[in-house]
Amino acid sequence: MYEFDVIRPATISEAVEALADEDAQALGGGQTLIPTLKARLASPSALVSLSKVAEMIGICYDDQGRLCIGAATTHAAVARDTSYPALSAMAAHIGDPAVRNRGTIGGSLANNDPAACYPAGVLASNATITTNKREIAADDFFQGLFETALEEGEIVTEVKFTIPQAANYQKFIQPASRFALVGVFVAKFADGVRVAVTGASEEGVHRWTAAEEALSSEFTPEAIADLTVLSDTLISDAHAIADYRSHLVKVMTGRAVKAAG
């Protein structure tokens, strides 16, 4: 590690002010950033820790009945909350206890790792990502591998969920990292079903629209029996070839639908 300053703002406005320094970088739970610094793949002169910003910690409901999770809320805290069972169950199986007690929902979304769990949960749930500047629909937030709609100096402050009628997340774990080799989050709303896939594609988290159409008509595993997941843009690596990931997307989707009931 090299020498850098750590700034611990107490409010969102203080955090934004600290991040105005072009060489400063936001620090959530540090589960990705700290290893990146150790590997010398990044070298900011200052880290702006968001862990003490009270406005960004906690879980509540807003006046529209949406579940609101502060961006600095840890995976462990989300896992303990029972408001959205599918999301809580997903959070309970992220990484290991050390990761869950340090990692945050906001940090995960801002990083947008292509195999992370939260992007699938947020995208399938049609959640709204709130920043210090605006509100961003999940469909507009994720823009490719490690890419999001966040602008320079913009930080995620809260995530808002309308809880679906039924939902479930199924993850085929890559055992070395505990990231998703393939993960599928299915959410059923009154106006249709949303299916988000993580870990499988070179484009990062994405929706499987063919499955959404089929499941919106009939919410059973059999509804997707005749569908094929095209492997053109799926990842082939040492852990799984594209065709295997294609197979897993379909299997995990079916399991999620069955578990969601």
Side-chain angles (χ1 to χ4, degrees):
M1 294 287 282
Y2 60 91
E3 186 174 321
F4 52 82
D5 295 325
V6 177
I7 303 169
R8 299 184 183 276
T11 66
I12 292 173
S13 59
E14 288 178 6
V16 172
E17 182 179 353
L19 286 167
D21 183 337
E22 65 179 21
D23 204 27
Q25 190 161 349
L27 174 68
Q31 298 309 293
T32 297
L33 181 56
I34 297 303
T36 300
L37 299 183
K38 288 181 178 179
R40 300 297 180 103
L41 297 176
S43 54
S45 62
L47 296 182
V48 181
S49 174
L50 305 176
S51 62
K52 301 299 182 183
V53 180
E55 304 163 81
M56 294 172 56
I57 301 172
I59 302 172
C60 64
Y61 286 93
D62 67 8
D63 55 9
Q64 298 180 44
R66 293 180 296 183
L67 181 69
C68 302
I69 303 178
T73 304
T74 64
H75 309 326
V78 176
R80 289 191 296 268
D81 188 79
T82 59
S83 305
Y84 187 174
L87 192 73
S88 299
M90 184 194 77
H93 293 91
I94 293 175
D96 55 27
V99 169
R100 293 192 289 273
N101 280 287
R102 290 295 303 171
T104 64
I105 184 172
S108 177
L109 296 180
N111 187 50
N112 191 22
D113 189 290
C117 297
Y118 270 120
V122 167
L123 185 58
S125 302
N126 196 23
T128 298
I129 296 92
T130 301
T131 76
N132 56 300
K133 296 181 178 180
R134 54 183 170 147
E135 290 193 340
I136 309 171
D139 284 327
D140 300 323
F141 184 80
F142 304 105
Q143 299 187 352
L145 298 181
F146 298 103
E147 296 291 332
T148 71
L150 292 175
E151 299 172 349
E152 195 72 28
E154 189 173 17
I155 58 174
V156 178
T157 58
E158 189 176 49
V159 187
K160 300 176 181 179
F161 295 86
T162 298
I163 299 175
Q165 297 172 340
N168 187 261
Y169 178 64
Q170 293 288 320
K171 176 168 71 168
F172 193 94
I173 295 174
Q174 204 284 77
S177 66
R178 300 195 66 80
F179 275 97
L181 187 66
V182 168
V184 179
F185 199 109
V186 173
K188 179 184 179 183
F189 294 89
D191 59 352
V193 175
R194 291 173 67 97
V195 179
V197 180
T198 188
S201 175
E202 296 171 352
E203 299 174 352
V205 67
H206 63 283
R207 290 170 61 186
W208 185 14
T209 55
E212 292 178 345
E213 293 173 6
L215 292 169
S216 293
S217 298
E218 179 189 345
F219 195 66
T220 66
E222 292 72 27
I224 62 168
D226 296 329
L227 298 183
T228 300
V229 182
L230 298 178
S231 59
D232 301 20
T233 62
L234 299 189
I235 298 169
S236 277
D237 57 18
H239 306 293
I241 63 173
D243 286 346
Y244 185 55
R245 279 188 165 91
S246 172
H247 171 72
L248 284 178
V249 170
K250 190 171 179 178
V251 171
M252 294 297 107
T253 302
R255 290 181 182 177
V257 172
K258 184 176 181 179

